[in-house]
Amino acid sequence: MREPPAPATRRTRMRPRLGLLLAPLLVLTALVAAACGSSSSSTTAEDPGPSTPPSSSGPVTPPGADVHLISLTGAGGQPSGTATPLNTPEQIAAFSKQFRSGAMEHRIKALTAHAGDDDVQGAVIAVGCDRPPGAAVQVDGSGTVTITPYDVESPLEECLVAVTTVAIAVIPQG
């Protein structure tokens, strides 16, 4: 007995279609992620930078006050002009509960650790596509601290993920 002859093999050409589609998508995702990163900076309350501070009458800017900005992508939080005291670990923990990420609390703790005896106040000043270039801190007659962001000169119309910006004001005592 003899086995039947094997049929001729038919070669199929495989094309890397999925690779051709995924490569540009991965590059685009990496570029967007790099543009929406996180950052932190510091500005002096007397130096508004490239934009102009909001005009107001009544409250005054404390001499020597520094405003530090912490920005984090997708952190959440609710913007509020009225600042919250951040002088104790308990106050920092209570303020940080509004954020989705523990990274924001860690950054706030790191910044407030160097404040010494100065009064530290914090507020979420922006949640959106843009990071304000700075902020003004003012104290009214009753001691209420307000932190107001400077206007963004050319705001983005849309973004993939909102950026939360927290302003930490360090106000010298005395």
Side-chain angles (χ1 to χ4, degrees), residues 23 36 39 43 66 83 94-95 107 113 115 122 131-132 134 139 144:
C36 291
S39 64
T43 59
D66 286 329
F95 178 74
R107 289 182 182 194
R131 179 182 185 275
V139 180
T144 303

Side-chain angles (χ1 to χ4, degrees), residues 16-93:
R17 293 182 187 173
L18 186 59
L20 293 175
L21 293 175
L22 284 181
L25 183 62
L26 290 174
V27 170
L28 179 63
T29 303
L31 290 174
V32 169
C36 291
S38 61
S39 64
S40 73
S41 69
S42 168
T43 59
T44 302
E46 293 85 20
D47 181 18
S51 62
T52 58
S55 62
S56 64
S57 60
V60 296
T61 300
D66 286 329
V67 179
H68 305 272
L69 300 182
I70 302 171
S71 296
L72 193 64
T73 302
Q78 293 294 319
S80 171
T82 304
T84 303
L86 300 175
N87 295 309
T88 65
E90 294 80 20
Q91 290 172 333
I92 295 170

Side-chain angles (χ1 to χ4, degrees), residues 132-159:
V137 59
Q138 297 177 327
V139 180
D140 67 10
S142 65
T144 303
V145 177
T146 57
I147 303 175
T148 309
Y150 297 149
D151 293 331
V152 177
E153 289 187 19
S154 53
L156 298 173
E157 292 183 24
E158 60 183 61
C159 56

